[in-house]
Amino acid sequence: MAAPETPCLTDLPLPQLTELLQGMGQPAYRAKQVYRWIHQKLATDFSQMTDQPAALLVRLRAETSLAVPEVVRRQQSRDGTVKYLLRMADGNCVETVRMHYRYGYSVCVSTQVGCAMGCRFCASTQAGRVRDLTAGEIAAEVYTVQRELWQGDAAARVSHVVLMGIGEPLHNYDNVLRFLRILSGPEGLNIGMRNVSLSTCGLVPQIDRLSREDLQLTLSVSLHAPDDATRSAMMPVNDAFPLSALIPACRRYQAATGRRISFEYAMVRGVNDTPEMAEKLAKLLKGMGAHVNLIPVNPVDGSPYTASDAANVQRFAARLRALSLNATVRRRLGADISAACGQLRREEAAPRTNTRQERITP
Ligand code: SAH
Protein backbone atom coordinates (compact mmCIF):
# COMPACT_ATOMS: atom_id res chain seq x y z
CA MET A 1 0.00 0.00 0.00
CA ALA A 2 1.22 3.48 -0.85
CA ALA A 3 2.49 5.73 1.93
CA PRO A 4 -0.06 8.36 3.02
CA GLU A 5 1.83 11.25 1.44
CA THR A 6 2.02 9.47 -1.91
CA PRO A 7 -0.17 11.40 -4.35
CA CYS A 8 -3.08 9.41 -5.71
CA LEU A 9 -3.22 10.30 -9.40
CA THR A 10 -6.93 9.42 -9.66
CA ASP A 11 -7.60 12.33 -7.33
CA LEU A 12 -5.81 14.98 -9.41
CA PRO A 13 -7.63 17.24 -11.86
CA LEU A 14 -5.73 17.72 -15.12
CA PRO A 15 -3.95 20.99 -14.11
CA GLN A 16 -2.59 19.38 -10.92
CA LEU A 17 -1.54 16.23 -12.77
CA THR A 18 0.21 18.40 -15.35
CA GLU A 19 2.07 20.22 -12.59
CA LEU A 20 3.13 16.95 -10.97
CA LEU A 21 4.40 15.46 -14.24
CA GLN A 22 6.14 18.68 -15.19
CA GLY A 23 7.93 18.39 -11.84
CA MET A 24 9.17 15.04 -13.15
CA GLY A 25 10.44 16.73 -16.30
CA GLN A 26 7.54 15.66 -18.52
CA PRO A 27 5.83 17.80 -21.17
CA ALA A 28 2.19 18.78 -20.71
CA TYR A 29 0.88 16.43 -23.39
CA ARG A 30 2.07 13.47 -21.31
CA ALA A 31 -0.14 14.59 -18.45
CA LYS A 32 -3.12 14.61 -20.77
CA GLN A 33 -2.28 11.11 -21.95
CA VAL A 34 -1.86 9.79 -18.43
CA TYR A 35 -5.07 11.54 -17.38
CA ARG A 36 -6.95 9.78 -20.19
CA TRP A 37 -5.48 6.45 -19.16
CA ILE A 38 -6.86 6.99 -15.68
CA HIS A 39 -10.23 8.64 -16.36
CA GLN A 40 -11.20 7.44 -19.83
CA LYS A 41 -9.57 4.06 -20.36
CA LEU A 42 -9.84 3.38 -16.61
CA ALA A 43 -6.41 1.79 -16.23
CA THR A 44 -5.92 -0.12 -13.00
CA ASP A 45 -2.16 -0.34 -13.29
CA PHE A 46 0.63 1.78 -14.74
CA SER A 47 1.77 -1.15 -16.90
CA GLN A 48 -1.38 -0.63 -19.02
CA MET A 49 -0.19 2.84 -20.09
CA THR A 50 1.66 1.36 -23.04
CA ASP A 51 2.36 4.61 -24.89
CA GLN A 52 4.29 6.06 -21.93
CA PRO A 53 8.09 5.90 -21.49
CA ALA A 54 9.11 2.96 -19.32
CA ALA A 55 11.22 5.18 -17.06
CA LEU A 56 8.25 7.40 -16.34
CA LEU A 57 6.07 4.42 -15.46
CA VAL A 58 8.70 3.11 -13.07
CA ARG A 59 8.79 6.46 -11.37
CA LEU A 60 5.00 6.80 -11.23
CA ARG A 61 4.67 3.36 -9.72
CA ALA A 62 7.26 4.18 -7.06
CA GLU A 63 6.07 7.65 -6.18
CA THR A 64 2.33 7.72 -6.83
CA SER A 65 -0.74 5.51 -6.69
CA LEU A 66 -4.06 4.90 -8.46
CA ALA A 67 -7.37 4.50 -6.63
CA VAL A 68 -8.45 0.95 -7.43
CA PRO A 69 -10.86 -0.31 -4.80
CA GLU A 70 -11.13 -4.02 -4.14
CA VAL A 71 -14.55 -5.60 -4.66
CA VAL A 72 -15.09 -7.33 -1.34
CA ARG A 73 -18.66 -8.41 -1.98
CA ARG A 74 -20.98 -8.29 -4.95
CA GLN A 75 -24.70 -8.96 -4.72
CA GLN A 76 -26.96 -9.11 -7.73
CA SER A 77 -30.68 -8.63 -7.45
CA ARG A 78 -33.31 -10.33 -9.57
CA ASP A 79 -34.09 -6.97 -11.20
CA GLY A 80 -30.45 -6.57 -12.29
CA THR A 81 -29.42 -4.15 -9.57
CA VAL A 82 -25.90 -4.88 -8.35
CA LYS A 83 -24.55 -3.80 -5.01
CA TYR A 84 -20.82 -3.71 -4.39
CA LEU A 85 -18.92 -3.48 -1.15
CA LEU A 86 -15.67 -1.75 -2.08
CA ARG A 87 -12.56 -1.58 0.07
CA MET A 88 -10.42 1.51 -0.28
CA ALA A 89 -6.62 1.49 0.07
CA ASP A 90 -6.75 2.18 3.83
CA GLY A 91 -9.12 -0.72 4.51
CA ASN A 92 -12.32 1.30 4.87
CA CYS A 93 -15.32 -0.02 2.97
CA VAL A 94 -18.15 1.77 1.21
CA GLU A 95 -21.10 0.67 -0.88
CA THR A 96 -21.80 1.38 -4.53
CA VAL A 97 -24.94 0.36 -6.38
CA ARG A 98 -25.46 -0.17 -10.11
CA MET A 99 -28.98 0.13 -11.46
CA HIS A 100 -30.15 -0.79 -14.94
CA TYR A 101 -32.74 1.41 -16.59
CA ARG A 102 -34.10 1.55 -20.09
CA TYR A 103 -31.73 4.41 -20.92
CA GLY A 104 -28.61 2.76 -19.54
CA TYR A 105 -26.76 2.20 -16.31
CA SER A 106 -26.88 4.45 -13.30
CA VAL A 107 -24.36 4.28 -10.48
CA CYS A 108 -25.15 5.33 -6.93
CA VAL A 109 -21.94 6.41 -5.18
CA SER A 110 -20.97 6.88 -1.55
CA THR A 111 -19.24 10.14 -0.66
CA GLN A 112 -18.05 9.44 2.89
CA VAL A 113 -17.13 6.45 5.03
CA GLY A 114 -20.12 6.57 7.37
CA CYS A 115 -22.07 9.76 7.93
CA ALA A 116 -22.28 12.36 10.68
CA MET A 117 -25.87 13.44 10.07
CA GLY A 118 -27.59 10.95 12.37
CA CYS A 119 -30.90 10.44 10.50
CA ARG A 120 -32.76 7.94 12.68
CA PHE A 121 -34.00 5.74 9.82
CA CYS A 122 -30.64 5.45 8.03
CA ALA A 123 -28.16 2.58 8.39
CA SER A 124 -25.23 4.59 7.00
CA THR A 125 -25.03 6.93 9.95
CA GLN A 126 -25.40 4.52 12.85
CA ALA A 127 -21.71 4.52 13.76
CA GLY A 128 -21.05 8.11 12.73
CA ARG A 129 -18.59 9.37 10.17
CA VAL A 130 -15.15 7.79 9.82
CA ARG A 131 -13.73 10.02 7.07
CA ASP A 132 -14.48 11.76 3.79
CA LEU A 133 -13.81 10.00 0.52
CA THR A 134 -11.45 11.79 -1.83
CA ALA A 135 -12.63 12.84 -5.29
CA GLY A 136 -10.48 10.04 -6.74
CA GLU A 137 -12.07 7.43 -4.50
CA ILE A 138 -15.58 8.54 -5.48
CA ALA A 139 -14.58 8.45 -9.15
CA ALA A 140 -13.07 4.99 -8.60
CA GLU A 141 -16.51 3.72 -7.52
CA VAL A 142 -17.90 4.69 -10.93
CA TYR A 143 -14.83 3.31 -12.72
CA THR A 144 -15.11 -0.05 -10.97
CA VAL A 145 -18.65 -0.45 -12.26
CA GLN A 146 -17.79 0.79 -15.75
CA ARG A 147 -14.86 -1.62 -16.07
CA GLU A 148 -17.09 -4.51 -15.11
CA LEU A 149 -19.69 -3.46 -17.69
CA TRP A 150 -17.03 -3.31 -20.39
CA GLN A 151 -16.04 -6.88 -19.65
CA GLY A 152 -19.49 -8.05 -20.73
CA ASP A 153 -20.17 -5.51 -23.47
CA ALA A 154 -17.72 -2.96 -24.86
CA ALA A 155 -20.59 -0.58 -25.61
CA ALA A 156 -22.23 -0.70 -22.16
CA ARG A 157 -21.94 2.66 -20.50
CA VAL A 158 -22.56 4.24 -17.15
CA SER A 159 -24.71 7.16 -18.27
CA HIS A 160 -26.04 8.48 -14.95
CA VAL A 161 -24.55 9.02 -11.52
CA VAL A 162 -26.47 9.65 -8.33
CA LEU A 163 -24.83 10.83 -5.11
CA MET A 164 -27.18 8.96 -2.81
CA GLY A 165 -24.95 6.34 -1.26
CA ILE A 166 -23.29 6.44 2.13
CA GLY A 167 -22.46 9.93 3.38
CA GLU A 168 -23.73 13.47 3.07
CA PRO A 169 -22.27 14.87 -0.17
CA LEU A 170 -22.51 18.49 0.92
CA HIS A 171 -20.63 17.65 4.12
CA ASN A 172 -17.70 16.70 1.85
CA TYR A 173 -18.25 19.66 -0.43
CA ASP A 174 -14.83 20.30 -1.97
CA ASN A 175 -14.08 16.66 -2.76
CA VAL A 176 -17.55 16.15 -4.23
CA LEU A 177 -17.22 19.20 -6.47
CA ARG A 178 -13.80 18.04 -7.61
CA PHE A 179 -15.28 14.61 -8.35
CA LEU A 180 -18.12 16.14 -10.38
CA ARG A 181 -15.68 18.14 -12.49
CA ILE A 182 -13.51 15.06 -13.14
CA LEU A 183 -16.60 12.99 -14.01
CA SER A 184 -18.03 15.50 -16.46
CA GLY A 185 -14.77 16.66 -18.04
CA PRO A 186 -14.14 15.95 -21.73
CA GLU A 187 -10.90 14.10 -20.91
CA GLY A 188 -12.78 11.79 -18.55
CA LEU A 189 -15.99 9.77 -18.82
CA ASN A 190 -17.70 12.97 -19.93
CA ILE A 191 -20.92 12.24 -18.06
CA GLY A 192 -23.10 15.31 -18.42
CA MET A 193 -24.21 17.12 -15.29
CA ARG A 194 -27.79 16.77 -16.45
CA ASN A 195 -27.34 13.06 -15.80
CA VAL A 196 -26.14 13.62 -12.24
CA SER A 197 -28.32 13.85 -9.13
CA LEU A 198 -27.05 14.94 -5.75
CA SER A 199 -29.07 14.26 -2.63
CA THR A 200 -28.68 16.24 0.58
CA CYS A 201 -30.27 16.10 4.01
CA GLY A 202 -30.47 19.89 3.84
CA LEU A 203 -27.25 21.74 4.72
CA VAL A 204 -28.39 25.29 4.01
CA PRO A 205 -25.07 27.14 3.58
CA GLN A 206 -23.83 24.48 1.18
CA ILE A 207 -27.09 24.57 -0.82
CA ASP A 208 -26.51 28.29 -1.28
CA ARG A 209 -22.90 27.68 -2.24
CA LEU A 210 -23.92 25.01 -4.75
CA SER A 211 -26.40 27.39 -6.35
CA ARG A 212 -23.45 29.57 -7.37
CA GLU A 213 -21.42 26.79 -9.04
CA ASP A 214 -23.35 26.92 -12.30
CA LEU A 215 -23.88 23.16 -12.49
CA GLN A 216 -26.77 21.61 -14.34
CA LEU A 217 -27.15 18.72 -11.90
CA THR A 218 -30.42 17.76 -10.21
CA LEU A 219 -30.58 18.55 -6.53
CA SER A 220 -32.67 16.28 -4.32
CA VAL A 221 -33.50 17.29 -0.80
CA SER A 222 -34.33 14.61 1.75
CA LEU A 223 -37.34 16.25 3.32
CA HIS A 224 -39.22 13.32 4.90
CA ALA A 225 -41.53 15.52 7.00
CA PRO A 226 -43.48 18.76 6.52
CA ASP A 227 -43.17 20.20 10.04
CA ASP A 228 -40.22 20.83 12.35
CA ALA A 229 -41.35 18.59 15.20
CA THR A 230 -41.72 15.54 12.98
CA ARG A 231 -38.61 16.32 10.92
CA SER A 232 -36.37 16.96 13.94
CA ALA A 233 -37.46 13.66 15.45
CA MET A 234 -36.38 11.89 12.25
CA MET A 235 -33.40 14.05 11.28
CA PRO A 236 -31.23 15.87 13.85
CA VAL A 237 -29.94 18.14 11.05
CA ASN A 238 -33.33 19.86 11.22
CA ASP A 239 -32.36 21.39 14.58
CA ALA A 240 -29.50 23.22 12.88
CA PHE A 241 -31.43 24.04 9.69
CA PRO A 242 -35.17 23.99 10.33
CA LEU A 243 -37.76 24.19 7.58
CA SER A 244 -37.95 27.97 7.93
CA ALA A 245 -34.30 28.06 6.75
CA LEU A 246 -34.32 25.05 4.41
CA ILE A 247 -37.34 25.81 2.26
CA PRO A 248 -36.32 29.42 1.50
CA ALA A 249 -32.84 28.07 0.59
CA CYS A 250 -34.50 25.63 -1.81
CA ARG A 251 -36.51 28.47 -3.35
CA ARG A 252 -33.33 30.55 -3.71
CA TYR A 253 -31.58 27.57 -5.32
CA GLN A 254 -34.37 27.20 -7.87
CA ALA A 255 -34.38 30.90 -8.63
CA ALA A 256 -30.59 31.04 -9.06
CA THR A 257 -30.17 27.87 -11.13
CA GLY A 258 -33.48 27.60 -12.96
CA ARG A 259 -33.48 23.92 -11.95
CA ARG A 260 -36.31 22.34 -10.00
CA ILE A 261 -35.49 20.53 -6.81
CA SER A 262 -36.93 17.13 -6.15
CA PHE A 263 -37.85 16.18 -2.61
CA GLU A 264 -37.38 12.73 -1.10
CA TYR A 265 -40.02 11.56 1.33
CA ALA A 266 -39.54 8.21 3.10
CA MET A 267 -42.91 7.11 4.38
CA VAL A 268 -43.01 5.93 7.95
CA ARG A 269 -46.14 4.36 9.32
CA GLY A 270 -47.99 6.60 11.73
CA VAL A 271 -45.24 9.24 11.68
CA ASN A 272 -45.38 11.19 8.44
CA ASP A 273 -47.94 9.33 6.33
CA THR A 274 -51.27 10.75 7.51
CA PRO A 275 -53.68 12.90 5.45
CA GLU A 276 -52.79 15.91 7.65
CA MET A 277 -49.12 15.45 6.73
CA ALA A 278 -50.02 15.43 3.03
CA GLU A 279 -51.83 18.71 3.49
CA LYS A 280 -48.95 20.32 5.38
CA LEU A 281 -46.52 19.11 2.72
CA ALA A 282 -48.56 20.58 -0.12
CA LYS A 283 -48.74 23.88 1.72
CA LEU A 284 -45.02 23.91 2.48
CA LEU A 285 -43.99 23.37 -1.14
CA LYS A 286 -46.73 25.45 -2.72
CA GLY A 287 -45.74 27.27 -5.87
CA MET A 288 -42.33 25.62 -6.22
CA GLY A 289 -43.32 23.29 -9.05
CA ALA A 290 -41.56 20.73 -6.92
CA HIS A 291 -41.48 17.01 -7.47
CA VAL A 292 -41.93 14.69 -4.49
CA ASN A 293 -40.55 11.16 -4.55
CA LEU A 294 -42.33 8.90 -2.11
CA ILE A 295 -40.68 5.71 -0.92
CA PRO A 296 -41.76 3.41 1.90
CA VAL A 297 -39.03 3.60 4.54
CA ASN A 298 -36.68 0.67 4.36
CA PRO A 299 -36.57 -0.94 7.80
CA VAL A 300 -33.03 -1.06 9.22
CA ASP A 301 -31.76 -2.72 12.40
CA GLY A 302 -31.92 -0.45 15.38
CA SER A 303 -34.44 1.92 13.81
CA PRO A 304 -37.84 2.40 15.48
CA TYR A 305 -39.63 2.94 12.17
CA THR A 306 -41.81 0.70 10.06
CA ALA A 307 -42.89 1.37 6.50
CA SER A 308 -46.27 2.67 5.45
CA ASP A 309 -48.17 0.03 3.55
CA ALA A 310 -48.27 0.26 -0.22
CA ALA A 311 -51.94 1.24 -0.37
CA ASN A 312 -51.38 4.13 1.99
CA VAL A 313 -48.37 5.33 0.00
CA GLN A 314 -50.61 5.41 -3.09
CA ARG A 315 -53.35 7.26 -1.19
CA PHE A 316 -50.81 9.79 0.08
CA ALA A 317 -49.51 10.31 -3.47
CA ALA A 318 -53.05 10.77 -4.80
CA ARG A 319 -53.81 13.30 -2.07
CA LEU A 320 -50.70 15.30 -2.94
CA ARG A 321 -51.64 15.30 -6.61
CA ALA A 322 -55.13 16.49 -5.73
CA LEU A 323 -53.40 19.36 -3.91
CA SER A 324 -51.45 20.16 -7.11
CA LEU A 325 -48.18 18.67 -5.94
CA ASN A 326 -46.32 16.50 -8.40
CA ALA A 327 -45.75 13.19 -6.60
CA THR A 328 -44.50 9.80 -7.69
CA VAL A 329 -43.96 6.58 -5.82
CA ARG A 330 -40.41 5.48 -6.39
CA ARG A 331 -39.85 2.03 -7.84
CA ARG A 332 -37.83 -0.01 -5.40
CA LEU A 333 -34.93 -1.60 -7.21
CA GLY A 334 -32.85 -4.22 -5.49
CA ALA A 335 -35.22 -4.68 -2.55
CA ASP A 336 -34.25 -8.35 -2.31
CA ILE A 337 -30.59 -7.43 -1.74
CA SER A 338 -31.38 -4.54 0.61
CA ALA A 339 -29.85 -2.15 -1.88
CA ALA A 340 -30.59 0.81 0.37
CA CYS A 341 -27.12 1.88 1.33
CA GLY A 342 -25.31 1.38 4.57
CA GLN A 343 -26.51 -2.07 5.43
CA LEU A 344 -23.82 -4.09 3.71
CA ARG A 345 -21.02 -2.05 5.18
CA ARG A 346 -22.48 -2.45 8.67
CA GLU A 347 -22.45 -6.22 8.25
CA GLU A 348 -18.79 -6.17 7.31
CA ALA A 349 -16.04 -6.23 9.92
CA ALA A 350 -14.79 -2.90 11.25
CA PRO A 351 -12.29 -1.02 9.09
CA ARG A 352 -8.70 -2.16 9.30
CA THR A 353 -7.18 1.14 10.20
CA ASN A 354 -8.47 2.50 13.43
CA THR A 355 -9.73 5.84 12.26
CA ARG A 356 -11.60 7.99 14.73
CA GLN A 357 -15.35 7.61 14.66
CA GLU A 358 -17.27 10.77 15.13
CA ARG A 359 -20.70 12.22 14.90
CA ILE A 360 -21.16 15.91 14.39
CA THR A 361 -24.32 17.87 14.44
CA PRO A 362 -23.72 20.64 11.94
N1 SAH B 1 -27.00 12.20 2.79
C1 SAH B 1 -27.77 12.37 1.61
C2 SAH B 1 -27.65 11.26 0.60
C3 SAH B 1 -27.60 9.84 1.09
S1 SAH B 1 -29.06 8.98 1.51
C4 SAH B 1 -29.20 12.64 1.96
O1 SAH B 1 -29.54 12.62 3.12
O2 SAH B 1 -29.97 12.94 1.07
C5 SAH B 1 -30.03 8.85 0.06
C6 SAH B 1 -31.52 8.87 0.37
O3 SAH B 1 -31.95 7.68 1.05
C7 SAH B 1 -31.93 10.03 1.27
O4 SAH B 1 -33.12 10.60 0.80
C8 SAH B 1 -32.15 9.34 2.60
O5 SAH B 1 -32.97 10.10 3.44
C9 SAH B 1 -32.77 8.04 2.14
N2 SAH B 1 -32.75 6.97 3.12
C10 SAH B 1 -31.80 6.66 4.02
N3 SAH B 1 -32.15 5.60 4.75
C11 SAH B 1 -33.37 5.21 4.29
C12 SAH B 1 -34.27 4.17 4.64
N4 SAH B 1 -33.99 3.32 5.64
N5 SAH B 1 -35.43 4.08 3.96
C13 SAH B 1 -35.71 4.94 2.95
N6 SAH B 1 -34.91 5.93 2.57
C14 SAH B 1 -33.75 6.08 3.25
Side-chain angles (χ1 to χ4, degrees):
M1 198 170 83
E5 66 275 13
T6 301
C8 173
L9 299 192
T10 317
D11 191 41
L12 300 184
L14 185 54
Q16 278 94 316
L17 183 68
T18 307
E19 209 174 288
L20 186 125
L21 289 193
Q22 279 175 340
M24 295 181 172
Q26 298 294 327
Y29 74 88
R30 287 245 176 267
K32 209 176 216 180
Q33 290 171 338
V34 171
Y35 189 91
R36 287 198 189 125
W37 273 113
I38 298 170
H39 299 284
Q40 228 159 41
K41 299 181 218 171
L42 312 187
T44 53
D45 193 276
F46 292 109
S47 62
Q48 292 161 358
M49 305 183 184
T50 44
D51 56 358
Q52 298 302 303
L56 173 62
L57 295 180
V58 167
R59 192 156 174 205
L60 289 178
R61 185 174 292 110
E63 298 175 24
T64 71
S65 67
L66 298 172
V68 185
E70 178 196 345
V71 180
V72 183
R73 281 175 72 183
R74 185 186 185 283
Q75 291 182 315
Q76 183 144 6
S77 153
R78 283 187 292 277
D79 60 30
T81 302
V82 180
K83 186 166 176 174
Y84 306 82
L85 185 69
L86 301 183
R87 183 179 286 137
M88 298 298 165
D90 70 348
N92 277 301
C93 290
V94 296
E95 291 170 34
T96 305
V97 179
R98 179 191 101 188
M99 290 155 292
H100 194 184
Y101 293 98
R102 255 169 302 142
Y103 52 74
Y105 290 94
S106 177
V107 175
C108 175
V109 294
S110 295
T111 54
Q112 295 178 314
V113 181
C115 181
M117 298 297 126
C119 298
R120 308 245 193 271
F121 47 83
C122 180
S124 303
T125 195
Q126 283 175 353
R129 168 185 161 279
V130 177
R131 69 169 174 87
D132 290 336
L133 292 180
T134 65
E137 287 173 325
I138 304 170
E141 296 179 60
V142 179
Y143 300 171
T144 301
V145 174
Q146 178 64 77
R147 275 193 296 264
E148 188 186 273
L149 288 173
W150 278 339
Q151 279 173 10
D153 171 4
R157 224 182 140 238
V158 174
S159 59
H160 290 66
V161 171
V162 297
L163 289 82
M164 291 191 183
I166 298 171
E168 166 49 46
L170 298 186
H171 192 217
N172 183 17
Y173 191 95
D174 292 339
N175 292 350
V176 162
L177 263 280
R178 187 198 271 227
F179 157 69
L180 291 175
R181 300 223 147 91
I182 290 173
L183 184 75
S184 59
E187 311 292 340
L189 286 185
N190 205 358
I191 296 177
M193 284 288 181
R194 286 183 181 273
N195 292 352
V196 174
S197 298
L198 184 154
S199 181
T200 179
C201 64
L203 300 181
V204 166
Q206 287 91 326
I207 291 173
D208 280 326
R209 196 173 156 199
L210 192 66
S211 75
R212 294 189 291 268
E213 305 280 359
D214 195 26
L215 299 174
Q216 294 297 306
L217 55 74
T218 300
L219 183 65
S220 289
V221 171
S222 300
L223 191 59
H224 302 322
D227 66 66
D228 281 325
T230 311
R231 193 166 191 267
S232 286
M234 296 174 77
M235 306 173 71
V237 68
N238 194 69
D239 293 334
F241 304 111
L243 293 168
S244 57
L246 177 59
I247 300 301
C250 292
R251 291 182 191 270
R252 286 196 296 279
Y253 183 91
Q254 293 199 157
T257 62
R259 309 268 310 160
R260 279 190 191 156
I261 290 180
S262 75
F263 291 92
E264 304 294 311
Y265 198 97
M267 299 208 38
V268 183
R269 183 179 303 209
V271 173
N272 65 359
D273 67 345
T274 60
E276 298 72 54
M277 290 285 169
E279 263 150 50
K280 280 193 202 173
L281 182 59
K283 206 183 245 177
L284 185 72
L285 302 182
K286 198 169 175 339
M288 289 182 79
H291 184 104
V292 179
N293 260 317
L294 302 173
I295 183 167
V297 79
N298 207 352
V300 302
D301 284 350
S303 152
Y305 299 129
T306 51
S308 312
D309 62 64
N312 194 38
V313 176
Q314 292 299 345
R315 271 198 304 276
F316 196 88
R319 190 163 268 124
L320 292 179
R321 282 185 216 116
L323 295 164
S324 310
L325 196 58
N326 188 355
T328 47
V329 178
R330 204 185 320 150
R331 198 157 61 102
R332 282 187 73 195
L333 290 176
D336 53 324
I337 55 164
S338 65
C341 264
Q343 301 183 54
L344 204 57
R345 178 180 161 256
R346 298 284 297 142
E347 289 167 19
E348 191 64 19
R352 278 182 195 158
T353 44
N354 190 18
T355 345
R356 193 168 54 99
Q357 301 252 336
E358 58 169 348
R359 170 172 291 175
I360 317 168
T361 303

